[in-house]
Amino acid sequence: MKGRKAKFRPHKKPAFYCDEDFPKPSLDKLNKFKVLHSLIDLNFKSRDDKFHYQYAANKKLILLTLDDDYLNNSNFKLSETYGLIFIQTGDLPTWGRVNLVLDKLLPFLKSLSKDSLRATKISVSLKGYIKWNLKENKILREEFNWSKIN
């Protein structure tokens, strides 16, 4: 490549792992990403939360879930995750509500690099999101409101 500058190549896109509760119709919203669904793609039936958490981390995948149990840092250590996104939909987690939250979240997801959510958990809703990440053995908490971002 004499006389030519090398093209800038961005970091690889993140890849996602959805546990059993993640609705199949919502997978279409993530079609620009590599996504594995535990039940549809891998036939992981009736596996416990620990299994899904460890599988995602071992495969360097960001776990997408509707299960708020993963936010418990006693059971699911922040230091052990490659990234977790909990989609908060209220009392009725329908795929329509999941899709509304994903619509808000997609610009954020597109800005991520492959490992940018390591040791990070995010709880996202239609109002905004709360992000916890581990820096120098301290848990930092940040809140974002969609209206302030957009």
PDB file of all heavy atoms in Angstrom, residues 74-87:
ATOM      1  N   SER A  74     -24.785  -9.866  44.167  1.00  0.00           N
ATOM      2  CA  SER A  74     -24.344 -10.953  45.045  1.00  0.00           C
ATOM      3  C   SER A  74     -24.348 -12.276  44.298  1.00  0.00           C
ATOM      4  O   SER A  74     -23.445 -13.089  44.463  1.00  0.00           O
ATOM      5  CB  SER A  74     -25.264 -11.061  46.267  1.00  0.00           C
ATOM      6  OG  SER A  74     -25.221  -9.876  47.011  1.00  0.00           O
ATOM      7  N   ASN A  75     -25.384 -12.494  43.499  1.00  0.00           N
ATOM      8  CA  ASN A  75     -25.504 -13.752  42.753  1.00  0.00           C
ATOM      9  C   ASN A  75     -24.834 -13.703  41.387  1.00  0.00           C
ATOM     10  O   ASN A  75     -24.407 -14.733  40.869  1.00  0.00           O
ATOM     11  CB  ASN A  75     -26.980 -14.110  42.568  1.00  0.00           C
ATOM     12  CG  ASN A  75     -27.659 -14.403  43.888  1.00  0.00           C
ATOM     13  OD1 ASN A  75     -27.036 -14.853  44.836  1.00  0.00           O
ATOM     14  ND2 ASN A  75     -28.949 -14.120  43.952  1.00  0.00           N
ATOM     15  N   PHE A  76     -24.789 -12.518  40.800  1.00  0.00           N
ATOM     16  CA  PHE A  76     -24.238 -12.351  39.463  1.00  0.00           C
ATOM     17  C   PHE A  76     -23.221 -11.210  39.492  1.00  0.00           C
ATOM     18  O   PHE A  76     -23.573 -10.049  39.307  1.00  0.00           O
ATOM     19  CB  PHE A  76     -25.366 -12.075  38.452  1.00  0.00           C
ATOM     20  CG  PHE A  76     -26.394 -13.166  38.423  1.00  0.00           C
ATOM     21  CD1 PHE A  76     -27.576 -13.042  39.132  1.00  0.00           C
ATOM     22  CD2 PHE A  76     -26.159 -14.327  37.720  1.00  0.00           C
ATOM     23  CE1 PHE A  76     -28.514 -14.054  39.127  1.00  0.00           C
ATOM     24  CE2 PHE A  76     -27.087 -15.350  37.698  1.00  0.00           C
ATOM     25  CZ  PHE A  76     -28.275 -15.213  38.412  1.00  0.00           C
ATOM     26  N   LYS A  77     -22.004 -11.562  39.749  1.00  0.00           N
ATOM     27  CA  LYS A  77     -20.937 -10.586  39.956  1.00  0.00           C
ATOM     28  C   LYS A  77     -20.715  -9.720  38.711  1.00  0.00           C
ATOM     29  O   LYS A  77     -20.632 -10.222  37.599  1.00  0.00           O
ATOM     30  CB  LYS A  77     -19.641 -11.289  40.316  1.00  0.00           C
ATOM     31  CG  LYS A  77     -19.742 -12.197  41.521  1.00  0.00           C
ATOM     32  CD  LYS A  77     -19.096 -11.571  42.705  1.00  0.00           C
ATOM     33  CE  LYS A  77     -19.105 -12.508  43.888  1.00  0.00           C
ATOM     34  NZ  LYS A  77     -20.118 -12.200  44.844  1.00  0.00           N
ATOM     35  N   LEU A  78     -20.602  -8.440  38.969  1.00  0.00           N
ATOM     36  CA  LEU A  78     -20.355  -7.484  37.903  1.00  0.00           C
ATOM     37  C   LEU A  78     -19.022  -7.782  37.209  1.00  0.00           C
ATOM     38  O   LEU A  78     -18.898  -7.668  35.994  1.00  0.00           O
ATOM     39  CB  LEU A  78     -20.364  -6.076  38.495  1.00  0.00           C
ATOM     40  CG  LEU A  78     -20.461  -4.888  37.583  1.00  0.00           C
ATOM     41  CD1 LEU A  78     -21.640  -4.990  36.640  1.00  0.00           C
ATOM     42  CD2 LEU A  78     -20.580  -3.615  38.390  1.00  0.00           C
ATOM     43  N   SER A  79     -18.061  -8.204  37.981  1.00  0.00           N
ATOM     44  CA  SER A  79     -16.729  -8.485  37.430  1.00  0.00           C
ATOM     45  C   SER A  79     -16.722  -9.693  36.495  1.00  0.00           C
ATOM     46  O   SER A  79     -15.795  -9.864  35.713  1.00  0.00           O
ATOM     47  CB  SER A  79     -15.733  -8.727  38.562  1.00  0.00           C
ATOM     48  OG  SER A  79     -16.138  -9.838  39.345  1.00  0.00           O
ATOM     49  N   GLU A  80     -17.755 -10.515  36.550  1.00  0.00           N
ATOM     50  CA  GLU A  80     -17.788 -11.745  35.757  1.00  0.00           C
ATOM     51  C   GLU A  80     -18.570 -11.606  34.452  1.00  0.00           C
ATOM     52  O   GLU A  80     -18.654 -12.560  33.689  1.00  0.00           O
ATOM     53  CB  GLU A  80     -18.389 -12.876  36.590  1.00  0.00           C
ATOM     54  CG  GLU A  80     -17.545 -13.237  37.786  1.00  0.00           C
ATOM     55  CD  GLU A  80     -18.217 -14.246  38.703  1.00  0.00           C
ATOM     56  OE1 GLU A  80     -19.336 -14.702  38.396  1.00  0.00           O
ATOM     57  OE2 GLU A  80     -17.620 -14.567  39.738  1.00  0.00           O
ATOM     58  N   THR A  81     -19.147 -10.454  34.197  1.00  0.00           N
ATOM     59  CA  THR A  81     -19.966 -10.313  32.996  1.00  0.00           C
ATOM     60  C   THR A  81     -19.207  -9.663  31.847  1.00  0.00           C
ATOM     61  O   THR A  81     -18.340  -8.824  32.066  1.00  0.00           O
ATOM     62  CB  THR A  81     -21.256  -9.513  33.279  1.00  0.00           C
ATOM     63  OG1 THR A  81     -22.053  -9.502  32.099  1.00  0.00           O
ATOM     64  CG2 THR A  81     -20.980  -8.087  33.681  1.00  0.00           C
ATOM     65  N   TYR A  82     -19.552 -10.074  30.659  1.00  0.00           N
ATOM     66  CA  TYR A  82     -19.020  -9.435  29.460  1.00  0.00           C
ATOM     67  C   TYR A  82     -19.950  -8.299  29.047  1.00  0.00           C
ATOM     68  O   TYR A  82     -19.672  -7.562  28.125  1.00  0.00           O
ATOM     69  CB  TYR A  82     -18.877 -10.476  28.344  1.00  0.00           C
ATOM     70  CG  TYR A  82     -17.874 -10.072  27.306  1.00  0.00           C
ATOM     71  CD1 TYR A  82     -16.522 -10.129  27.572  1.00  0.00           C
ATOM     72  CD2 TYR A  82     -18.278  -9.608  26.072  1.00  0.00           C
ATOM     73  CE1 TYR A  82     -15.592  -9.747  26.623  1.00  0.00           C
ATOM     74  CE2 TYR A  82     -17.361  -9.218  25.120  1.00  0.00           C
ATOM     75  CZ  TYR A  82     -16.019  -9.283  25.405  1.00  0.00           C
ATOM     76  OH  TYR A  82     -15.101  -8.892  24.468  1.00  0.00           O
ATOM     77  N   GLY A  83     -21.043  -8.203  29.766  1.00  0.00           N
ATOM     78  CA  GLY A  83     -22.034  -7.170  29.540  1.00  0.00           C
ATOM     79  C   GLY A  83     -23.423  -7.742  29.724  1.00  0.00           C
ATOM     80  O   GLY A  83     -23.686  -8.877  29.333  1.00  0.00           O
ATOM     81  N   LEU A  84     -24.290  -6.976  30.358  1.00  0.00           N
ATOM     82  CA  LEU A  84     -25.653  -7.407  30.587  1.00  0.00           C
ATOM     83  C   LEU A  84     -26.580  -6.228  30.338  1.00  0.00           C
ATOM     84  O   LEU A  84     -26.315  -5.121  30.815  1.00  0.00           O
ATOM     85  CB  LEU A  84     -25.835  -7.901  32.028  1.00  0.00           C
ATOM     86  CG  LEU A  84     -27.283  -8.237  32.359  1.00  0.00           C
ATOM     87  CD1 LEU A  84     -27.429  -9.685  32.716  1.00  0.00           C
ATOM     88  CD2 LEU A  84     -27.826  -7.353  33.443  1.00  0.00           C
ATOM     89  N   ILE A  85     -27.641  -6.474  29.600  1.00  0.00           N
ATOM     90  CA  ILE A  85     -28.669  -5.457  29.389  1.00  0.00           C
ATOM     91  C   ILE A  85     -30.006  -6.059  29.789  1.00  0.00           C
ATOM     92  O   ILE A  85     -30.477  -7.036  29.179  1.00  0.00           O
ATOM     93  CB  ILE A  85     -28.712  -4.976  27.921  1.00  0.00           C
ATOM     94  CG1 ILE A  85     -27.381  -4.334  27.551  1.00  0.00           C
ATOM     95  CG2 ILE A  85     -29.869  -3.992  27.726  1.00  0.00           C
ATOM     96  CD1 ILE A  85     -27.254  -3.947  26.087  1.00  0.00           C
ATOM     97  N   PHE A  86     -30.579  -5.489  30.848  1.00  0.00           N
ATOM     98  CA  PHE A  86     -31.900  -5.890  31.321  1.00  0.00           C
ATOM     99  C   PHE A  86     -32.919  -4.939  30.719  1.00  0.00           C
ATOM    100  O   PHE A  86     -32.820  -3.728  30.901  1.00  0.00           O
ATOM    101  CB  PHE A  86     -31.943  -5.841  32.854  1.00  0.00           C
ATOM    102  CG  PHE A  86     -33.335  -5.801  33.425  1.00  0.00           C
ATOM    103  CD1 PHE A  86     -34.220  -6.841  33.222  1.00  0.00           C
ATOM    104  CD2 PHE A  86     -33.753  -4.707  34.165  1.00  0.00           C
ATOM    105  CE1 PHE A  86     -35.502  -6.792  33.749  1.00  0.00           C
ATOM    106  CE2 PHE A  86     -35.026  -4.649  34.699  1.00  0.00           C
ATOM    107  CZ  PHE A  86     -35.907  -5.691  34.490  1.00  0.00           C
ATOM    108  N   ILE A  87     -33.883  -5.475  29.995  1.00  0.00           N
ATOM    109  CA  ILE A  87     -34.922  -4.661  29.376  1.00  0.00           C
ATOM    110  C   ILE A  87     -36.134  -4.654  30.284  1.00  0.00           C
ATOM    111  O   ILE A  87     -36.757  -5.692  30.518  1.00  0.00           O
ATOM    112  CB  ILE A  87     -35.261  -5.179  27.961  1.00  0.00           C
ATOM    113  CG1 ILE A  87     -34.016  -5.050  27.097  1.00  0.00           C
ATOM    114  CG2 ILE A  87     -36.449  -4.423  27.377  1.00  0.00           C
ATOM    115  CD1 ILE A  87     -34.153  -5.534  25.710  1.00  0.00           C
TER     116      ILE A  87
END
